[in-house]
Structures are given as structure tokens and as C-alpha cells.
Amino acid sequence: MSETSPEHSATEQAVTVLMAVVPCGCDTARQILADTARAAGAALLETAEAVLALGGCRALPAALGTALQAAMDGARSAAAVPPATETSTRLLPDPQAIGRLLKRHRGLRRRALAAPHDPAVRKELDDTTYTLCILMGQRNASTALRSAELLVGAEWPGTTVRRRGRDARTERHGW
């Protein structure tokens, strides 16, 4: 039986934390970690430990904090699937199924933050994130989550939801 090195363990836990916080898949979280280490001129282990320190509400060194924020912002704003040049009809997934998947994803994100050392939680979160991306037709997890929540009518903090039906007609025509 082989033991996991402390560097590998901290790195994998940091990947799990990033998957839950950003949100993103496993590969993107690894890329965020590597990009942060490179930009801050820090070792991967030091960067992973800094990410894990976020859970304990400890301040990060300035260079690591800036590099981590830039890498996370970059992952969140990665380009979505470009719109088709031709007019086409796209089938949308069942809103109830998407609602169940969103609920599962939220629960897994909480579990990942509570137990970043658990590889089963990390794998399940990665699978659920990938499924959301596929069903919503998006390459970026943040965009897929946003699209899914819009589909099921969930509100995002700081946004307003337009009313449908008669109220929407009244707003549109000013009646």
C-alpha cells in the first residue's frame, strides 16, 4: 500500500476547494492552482496550502491572493459556447431534472468544502459539474450553472426576475 505524499494530499484538497468555490471541474481547478503558483512565483505546495487556508479565513500573502483571484476570475469568465451563425432550434433539458441536478450540485459543493480530503466527493462534484455543462450546452461551469438556474427560475443575488404572463404584458406595453 503506498502512502500519499503531503504535497499530493494538499494539492488534491486544494483542487476540491477550488471546484466548490469557483465553481469548476477538476481539470480547471488544477489549472487555476498551477496558474496561481506560476503567477505568484510560489511552489505548488505553498499555493495549495494557501488555498486551504481560505477555509480557515486566514489572509493570504499578497502575491498569492492577487494571483489566485485573477486565476479564479479567469476561470469564471472563460468563453461560453459561441452562438450559432445559422438560426437553429435547441432543445432545452427538463427544468425539473435540472432543478434536481442543481440541488445535488449545491449539496456537493457544501460537502466538498467540509471534507476537501474526500476523493469520492471530489469525483462526484466533478461528474455533476460536467453533467450540468453538457445538459446546458456550455463549456464553462459558471456559465452552465447560471444557465441552469435561469432555466429553473432560481434567483441570483443582486438580480431581479421578470414576471411572466399578464404582468409582463403590462410592463412591456405600459398599461
Side-chain angles (χ1 to χ4, degrees), residues 36 40-42 46-54 58-69:
T36 300
E46 179 185 358
T47 305
E49 289 171 347
V51 169
L52 293 173
L54 289 174
R58 292 184 299 207
L60 297 179
L64 271 173
T66 302
L68 180 59
Q69 189 62 51

Coordinates of all heavy atoms in Angstrom, one line a residue, residues 36 40-42 46-54 58-69:
T36 N -1.9 30.0 -10.6 CA -1.7 30.9 -9.4 C -0.2 30.7 -8.9 O 0.5 31.7 -8.6 CB -2.6 30.5 -8.2 OG1 -4.0 30.7 -8.7 CG2 -2.4 31.3 -7.0
A40 N 2.4 33.9 -9.0 CA 2.9 34.4 -7.7 C 4.4 34.0 -7.5 O 5.0 34.4 -6.5 CB 2.0 33.8 -6.6
G41 N 4.9 33.2 -8.3 CA 6.3 32.7 -8.1 C 6.4 31.8 -6.9 O 7.4 31.9 -6.2
A42 N 5.4 31.0 -6.7 CA 5.4 30.2 -5.5 C 5.4 28.7 -5.9 O 5.1 28.4 -7.0 CB 4.1 30.5 -4.6
E46 N 3.0 25.3 -1.6 CA 2.7 26.6 -0.9 C 1.4 27.2 -1.4 O 0.6 27.7 -0.6 CB 3.8 27.6 -1.1 CG 3.6 29.0 -0.5 CD 4.7 30.0 -0.9 OE1 5.6 29.6 -1.6 OE2 4.6 31.1 -0.4
T47 N 1.1 27.1 -2.7 CA -0.1 27.6 -3.2 C -1.3 26.8 -2.8 O -2.4 27.4 -2.4 CB 0.0 27.6 -4.8 OG1 1.1 28.3 -5.2 CG2 -1.3 28.2 -5.4
A48 N -1.2 25.5 -2.7 CA -2.2 24.6 -2.3 C -2.6 24.9 -0.8 O -3.7 25.0 -0.4 CB -1.8 23.2 -2.5
E49 N -1.5 25.0 0.0 CA -1.8 25.3 1.4 C -2.4 26.7 1.6 O -3.3 26.9 2.5 CB -0.4 25.3 2.2 CG 0.1 23.8 2.3 CD 1.5 23.7 2.9 OE1 2.2 24.7 3.0 OE2 1.8 22.6 3.3
A50 N -2.1 27.7 0.7 CA -2.8 29.0 0.8 C -4.3 28.8 0.5 O -5.1 29.5 1.1 CB -2.1 29.9 -0.1
V51 N -4.6 28.0 -0.5 CA -6.0 27.8 -0.9 C -6.7 27.2 0.3 O -7.8 27.6 0.6 CB -6.1 27.0 -2.2 CG1 -7.5 26.5 -2.4 CG2 -5.6 27.7 -3.4
L52 N -6.1 26.2 0.9 CA -6.7 25.5 2.0 C -6.9 26.5 3.2 O -7.8 26.4 4.0 CB -5.9 24.3 2.5 CG -5.9 23.2 1.4 CD1 -4.9 22.1 1.9 CD2 -7.3 22.6 1.2
A53 N -6.0 27.5 3.3 CA -6.1 28.5 4.4 C -7.3 29.3 4.3 O -7.8 29.9 5.2 CB -4.8 29.3 4.5
L54 N -7.8 29.4 3.0 CA -9.0 30.2 2.8 C -10.2 29.7 3.6 O -11.0 30.5 4.1 CB -9.4 30.2 1.3 CG -8.5 31.0 0.4 CD1 -9.0 30.7 -1.1 CD2 -8.6 32.5 0.7
R58 N -8.0 32.6 6.9 CA -6.7 33.3 7.1 C -6.4 34.1 5.9 O -6.7 33.7 4.8 CB -5.7 32.2 7.4 CG -5.9 31.5 8.7 CD -4.8 30.5 9.0 NE -4.7 29.5 8.0 CZ -4.3 28.3 8.1 NH1 -3.8 27.9 9.3 NH2 -4.3 27.4 7.1
A59 N -5.7 35.2 6.1 CA -5.3 36.0 5.0 C -4.2 35.3 4.2 O -3.3 34.7 4.8 CB -4.8 37.4 5.5
L60 N -4.2 35.5 2.9 CA -3.2 35.0 2.0 C -2.1 36.0 1.8 O -2.3 37.2 1.9 CB -3.8 34.7 0.6 CG -4.8 33.6 0.6 CD1 -5.3 33.5 -0.9 CD2 -4.3 32.3 1.0
P61 N -0.9 35.6 1.5 CA 0.2 36.6 1.2 C -0.3 37.3 -0.1 O -1.0 36.8 -0.9 CB 1.4 35.7 0.8 CG 1.1 34.4 1.5 CD -0.3 34.2 1.6
A62 N 0.1 38.6 -0.2 CA -0.5 39.5 -1.2 C -0.3 38.9 -2.6 O -1.2 38.9 -3.4 CB 0.2 40.9 -1.1
A63 N 0.9 38.4 -2.9 CA 1.1 37.9 -4.3 C 0.3 36.7 -4.6 O -0.3 36.6 -5.7 CB 2.6 37.6 -4.5
L64 N 0.1 35.8 -3.6 CA -0.7 34.6 -3.8 C -2.2 35.0 -3.9 O -2.9 34.5 -4.8 CB -0.5 33.6 -2.7 CG 0.6 32.6 -2.9 CD1 0.8 31.8 -1.7 CD2 0.3 31.7 -4.1
G65 N -2.6 35.9 -3.1 CA -4.0 36.4 -3.1 C -4.4 37.0 -4.4 O -5.5 36.7 -5.0
T66 N -3.6 37.9 -4.9 CA -3.8 38.5 -6.2 C -3.8 37.5 -7.4 O -4.7 37.6 -8.2 CB -2.7 39.6 -6.5 OG1 -2.8 40.6 -5.4 CG2 -3.0 40.4 -7.8
A67 N -2.8 36.7 -7.4 CA -2.7 35.6 -8.4 C -3.9 34.7 -8.4 O -4.5 34.3 -9.4 CB -1.4 34.9 -8.3
L68 N -4.3 34.3 -7.2 CA -5.5 33.4 -7.1 C -6.8 34.0 -7.5 O -7.5 33.4 -8.3 CB -5.6 32.9 -5.6 CG -6.7 31.9 -5.3 CD1 -6.6 30.7 -6.1 CD2 -6.8 31.6 -3.8
Q69 N -7.0 35.3 -7.1 CA -8.2 36.0 -7.6 C -8.2 36.1 -9.1 O -9.3 35.9 -9.7 CB -8.3 37.3 -6.9 CG -9.6 38.0 -7.1 CD -10.8 37.2 -6.5 OE1 -10.7 36.9 -5.4 NE2 -11.8 37.0 -7.3

